[in-house]
Amino acid sequence: MKVGFYQFRPFFGKPEQNCKKILSALKDVEADLIVLPELALSGYYFKDKTESLKYAEDLENSTIIDSIISFAEYKNMHIVLGFAEKQGEQCFNSSALIGPNGIEHVYRKVHLFNEEKFCFDPGNKPFVVNDINGVKIGMMICFDWVFPEVTRILALQGAQIICQPSNLVLTFCQQTMLARCIENKVFAITANRYGVDKRPQGSLKFTGKSQIVAPGGKLLHRAVSQRDALFVTEIDPDDANNKMITQHNDILADRRPEFYTLLNNK
Ligand code: ACM
């Protein structure tokens, strides 16, 4: 299976322009699955929810999302796209799994980062795993990395590849995802943006360094920090099926949930 990411610098508030940039970058790409950054169409640093809604896509009525679906169909490719999702007066920081037959799943970011709390509604759907041509895909978004429960719950549902659209401003995630891939023995594709969103309320700089990590924590590739980066590599998703970390330790079967009950109540 050929998987990859496209790291770029979205222009704030220019969804059409950002969509054009994405489709032109992916025009000649041969891949089964490409992961794009978080909020790849709108840019990141909204000042409030009125502004995030203004640049959000309504899945029932979005020519931009429709053009990405047509592209996925034409390329016979799956795309994981981070975008601002409008549903009535609600706005979610979402990630769509788009395939040749349309949208297969939308994940809404559960753990909102910092001022995102003023711009988005928290995700309201469970973590699930989707099957694409026999491969199990799980989605999380950026700051979800701080919560090891997310990767674990996806791994427990059989996820082989974790797709993580990101707009990282802290510097810890890329290293932490190595640990997530050791403790869950999954692949992880982190597609981050770079550049700066300079807004009246301040500036945010994003860290780039998108990466693909293999089960066991092997870094297959990490992009540079502040440049466009399109990367595709061949992986065998079944490498994520072996959960043995020693001859006598299965990282999922050896769990002792009876000792973790506090996690459900705190
Ligand atoms: C983040 O969750 N975008 C830092």
Side-chain angles (χ1 to χ4, degrees), residues 39-88:
L39 300 171
L41 301 174
S42 57
Y44 180 83
Y45 200 9
F46 301 109
K47 70 172 189 294
D48 54 27
K49 202 163 118 185
T50 306
E51 193 175 58
S52 58
L53 274 168
K54 181 170 162 196
Y55 296 111
E57 305 299 321
D58 182 340
L59 291 177
E60 303 293 311
N61 181 21
S62 166
T63 51
I64 292 183
I65 299 283
D66 289 348
S67 71
I68 297 175
I69 293 172
S70 302
F71 181 83
E73 184 184 6
Y74 166 69
K75 295 288 286 181
N76 193 27
M77 174 191 276
H78 278 82
I79 295 172
V80 170
L81 165 78
F83 71 108
E85 180 193 3
K86 175 180 160 71
Q87 191 187 52

Side-chain angles (χ1 to χ4, degrees), residues 5-51:
F5 59 74
Y6 176 45
Q7 164 177 309
F8 73 110
R9 174 178 49 176
F11 292 105
F12 184 86
K14 303 261 185 250
E16 269 112 21
Q17 201 172 322
N18 292 324
C19 179
K20 258 194 204 137
K21 177 156 172 93
I22 291 166
L23 298 188
S24 123
L26 300 186
K27 177 166 57 71
D28 298 320
V29 169
E30 297 257 328
D32 302 296
L33 173 68
I34 292 287
V35 184
L36 298 167
E38 178 183 8
L39 300 171
L41 301 174
S42 57
Y44 180 83
Y45 200 9
F46 301 109
K47 70 172 189 294
D48 54 27
K49 202 163 118 185
T50 306
E51 193 175 58

Side-chain angles (χ1 to χ4, degrees), residues 97-206:
L97 175 63
I98 297 172
N101 298 317
I103 296 177
E104 299 184 15
H105 184 60
V106 176
Y107 163 65
R108 292 169 170 168
K109 189 175 188 180
V110 165
H111 303 102
L112 297 175
F113 176 73
N114 207 1
E115 291 153 278
E116 285 175 31
K117 292 188 176 185
F118 311 127
C119 306
F120 294 103
D121 294 283
N124 55 3
K125 299 200 287 186
F127 293 98
V128 301
V129 161
N130 288 84
D131 189 308
I132 62 167
N133 305 320
V135 178
K136 299 273 194 298
I137 305 293
M139 291 189 284
M140 57 190 261
I141 300 177
C142 203
F143 189 55
D144 283 331
W145 68 267
V146 172
F147 305 88
E149 293 88 347
V150 176
T151 333
R152 177 50 53 87
I153 206 155
L154 291 170
L156 282 169
Q157 293 177 88
Q160 294 167 302
I161 305 173
I162 308 277
C163 301
Q164 186 194 19
S166 295
N167 279 186
L168 292 157
V169 291
L170 303 178
T171 55
F172 316 113
C173 172
Q174 287 88 341
Q175 282 304 98
T176 305
M177 288 310 288
L178 303 184
R180 298 288 171 267
C181 293
I182 294 170
E183 67 204 8
N184 293 289
K185 298 204 81 180
V186 291
F187 288 93
I189 305 173
T190 300
N192 194 17
R193 66 162 287 181
Y194 71 97
V196 178
D197 267 359
K198 194 157 183 267
R199 304 297 327 285
Q201 73 273 29
S203 285
L204 283 179
K205 181 168 183 193
F206 303 91

